[in-house]
Amino acid sequence: MKTVILYISLFFFCLISWSQEKVTGWKINSNPIYILDGKEINPLGFKKIDPNTIDTINVLKGENAKAIYGERGVNGVILFKSKVIDPTFLKLYAVNFTTNENKKVINLSGKIMDCEHTVLNNITITNLNTNEKNTNQTDGTFQLKCHKEDVISFKGVNTEEVRILALKKDLKLSITLKESDSIITNPTRPGAVIIKKPVIYLYPKQQTEVDLKINFNGNLLTTFPKYNNGWQVTAYPDGKIYDKTTKRFYNSLFWDGKRNFDTENTPTTGFLVEKEQLSSFLIEKLETIGLNTTETNDFIQFWLPILEANPYNFIHFKINEACDSISINENRPQPDTVIRVMMEFHKSDKNHQVKEQNLKSTSRKGFTLVEWGGSEIPNNSKQNSL
């Protein structure tokens, strides 16, 4: 019943806001002020309120809101009174945070996973009282020191935020993050995409010890050999790679991951390729970019079955620096030549008009690193057709 009351109240609040906007130009897209049990909470806290715990809801608007809250009340005020005041909730979702340096130091550790118990990495961990930020390890684990009653936030690129209140000393946690609703509800962020099969080849001029790290703008999913906050390998001129952790030889280093697709970087140039022309097209374009026969064949063997599921594909290649929006590699020593190719594609039709992409070629000199991968992106052909 309280859930129904909450939604009905918010409906009438939006309806009143719409009427007010017609008269005064009131911006209904801005957040109102949320007051829970006499204390202001932030918009995230409003979303976390359990409707079943609410006793009464009141809405202030216009001059009534401004009289109490000043200009801050211009977008309205929603006042919630709960059945039983929860001081922990009020601390977690306060508007402002103060330091707790005079309180006990607490050691926090644990692991961060998703709802399917898959390890998540590259999660930002923020102490909201001190604004100190950190990230967890590739195996999902984290360790940090804070003070008692500090509020700790856990947030990934594609996940909803979770907050905890540090109360117990030497607390071990299991943090579960779920995919952000904004991926579904925000039309400017059409969703998460999987960066598939990026593989890295190393070609030094002589046997070389290499440390390689991936700064991926998302969550790493699978790595082979296992990525333990970096790869420490020995690279050979013939392309063989010896991983010091597994003590095995590999032809390449593999990773994949999930990230939000940024509509602002939707490609506007590329190629419209018919199914029957895919093999010859990929050979021509990849070798133009600078891949050798082995790398080109590896690329086609992986992507051809996926692309051939569509009669036509729109294909765009991110090359070298353009790949930095997806990931950035840290290498020691730094290669003399880097050739990176990330293919973006989506199903299309033969009537899709495309401005052809200009591909630049890279010549190999000295120690060379080659990386390729790709992802299926949302089809925005209607907006991008010429």
Side-chain angles (χ1 to χ4, degrees):
M1 183 63 182
K2 294 298 181 183
T3 303
V4 175
I5 294 173
L6 174 61
Y7 290 154
I8 290 175
S9 299
L10 294 179
F11 168 76
F12 279 109
F13 176 75
C14 292
L15 184 61
I16 294 168
S17 302
W18 177 83
S19 301
Q20 183 76 4
E21 182 190 26
K22 289 294 183 180
V23 177
T24 65
W26 188 19
K27 296 180 181 179
I28 64 172
N29 288 330
S30 300
N31 285 318
I33 296 174
Y34 304 106
I35 304 295
L36 176 64
D37 297 326
K39 293 189 176 182
E40 185 177 350
I41 59 174
N42 65 27
L44 177 63
F46 161 68
K47 295 178 182 178
K48 298 287 186 179
I49 293 176
D50 181 357
N52 294 312
T53 66
I54 298 301
D55 186 33
T56 62
I57 303 170
N58 290 297
V59 176
L60 298 179
K61 69 177 187 69
E63 294 303 322
N64 291 333
K66 291 177 66 175
I68 302 175
Y69 297 94
E71 291 300 323
R72 293 180 62 243
V74 69
N75 292 309
V77 183
I78 304 179
L79 301 101
F80 300 91
K81 184 178 179 181
S82 57
K83 296 175 182 177
V84 179
I85 294 177
D86 184 350
T88 298
F89 188 90
L90 295 175
K91 289 179 180 179
L92 286 175
Y93 299 105
V95 174
N96 298 305
F97 296 91
T98 58
T99 60
N100 294 309
E101 294 178 353
N102 59 332
K103 297 181 179 179
K104 292 182 179 180
V105 173
I106 291 179
N107 296 310
L108 298 181
S109 63
K111 181 174 286 190
I112 305 175
M113 299 174 289
D114 64 13
C115 299
E116 297 177 349
H117 303 290
T118 301
V119 167
L120 298 177
N121 53 62
N122 202 26
I123 301 299
T124 300
I125 305 170
T126 306
N127 185 326
L128 297 179
N129 295 81
T130 63
N131 207 32
E132 296 176 354
K133 296 181 183 294
N134 205 339
T135 56
N136 66 330
Q137 302 297 313
T138 55
D139 62 356
T141 60
F142 67 91
Q143 291 184 340
L144 63 99
K145 287 186 176 181
C146 63
H147 291 89
K148 187 176 180 179
E149 295 191 7
D150 280 353
V151 177
I152 311 301
S153 163
F154 300 84
K155 178 75 171 71
V157 175
N158 304 317
T159 69
E160 291 189 0
E161 181 183 2
V162 167
R163 295 182 180 184
I164 62 114
L165 185 65
L167 293 175
K168 295 182 180 180
K169 188 175 182 180
D170 301 327
L171 185 62
K172 290 188 177 181
L173 303 167
S174 179
I175 304 295
T176 302
L177 302 181
K178 70 175 184 177
E179 195 169 58
S180 174
D181 290 338
S182 64
I183 290 177
I184 301 172
T185 61
N186 188 337
T188 65
R189 296 171 66 185
V193 296
I194 304 297
I195 309 300
K196 293 183 178 180
K197 194 64 188 277
V199 291
I200 299 173
Y201 307 85
L202 300 173
Y203 305 101
K205 287 298 183 181
Q206 57 188 10
Q207 181 178 326
T208 304
E209 306 302 311
V210 179
D211 290 342
L212 195 156
K213 290 187 176 182
I214 302 168
N215 292 319
F216 174 51
N217 184 22
N219 295 321
L220 288 175
L221 297 177
T222 304
T223 59
F224 184 76
K226 193 69 175 178
Y227 181 88
N228 295 308
N229 199 31
W231 282 302
Q232 292 78 43
V233 302
T234 303
Y236 294 83
D238 63 356
K240 295 293 184 184
I241 299 171
Y242 180 77
D243 177 57
K244 297 179 181 179
T245 301
T246 60
K247 303 186 185 307
R248 290 177 60 87
F249 280 96
Y250 302 85
N251 294 323
S252 60
L253 304 172
F254 166 87
W255 66 273
D256 64 10
K258 181 167 66 173
R259 66 186 290 266
N260 265 353
F261 178 71
D262 185 359
T263 55
E264 293 182 0
N265 290 324
T266 300
T268 57
T269 63
F271 306 91
L272 183 65
V273 187
E274 191 176 359
K275 176 179 177 179
E276 288 73 15
Q277 304 299 320
L278 280 167
S279 293
S280 57
F281 165 82
L282 291 172
I283 290 172
E284 176 192 351
K285 301 305 180 186
L286 294 173
E287 293 184 351
T288 295
I289 293 168
L291 270 61
N292 64 25
T293 300
T294 297
E295 296 152 4
T296 298
N297 288 345
D298 290 347
F299 184 104
I300 294 174
Q301 286 171 2
F302 178 79
W303 284 110
L304 191 60
I306 298 173
L307 295 170
E308 283 189 337
N310 304 323
Y312 290 87
N313 289 279
F314 167 80
I315 294 176
H316 173 89
F317 297 103
K318 285 184 176 292
I319 303 172
N320 292 342
E321 292 83 1
C323 298
D324 290 351
S325 63
I326 298 174
S327 68
I328 298 175
N329 295 329
E330 292 183 12
N331 308 288
R332 292 198 305 266
Q334 185 68 30
D336 301 301
T337 303
V338 174
I339 303 174
R340 303 180 71 201
V341 184
M342 293 289 178
M343 178 183 69
E344 296 181 324
F345 75 95
H346 61 67
K347 180 181 178 181
S348 190
D349 59 72
K350 62 181 179 181
N351 295 320
H352 182 190
Q353 299 294 315
V354 178
K355 182 178 179 181
E356 186 168 310
Q357 181 182 5
N358 181 28
L359 300 180
K360 295 183 179 180
S361 180
T362 302
S363 300
R364 302 185 183 213
K365 297 178 181 179
F367 176 19
T368 299
L369 179 149
V370 177
E371 181 179 26
W372 62 255
S375 60
E376 183 172 5
I377 62 174
N379 185 350
N380 294 323
S381 59
K382 290 182 179 180
Q383 292 90 329
N384 294 325
S385 295
L386 301 179

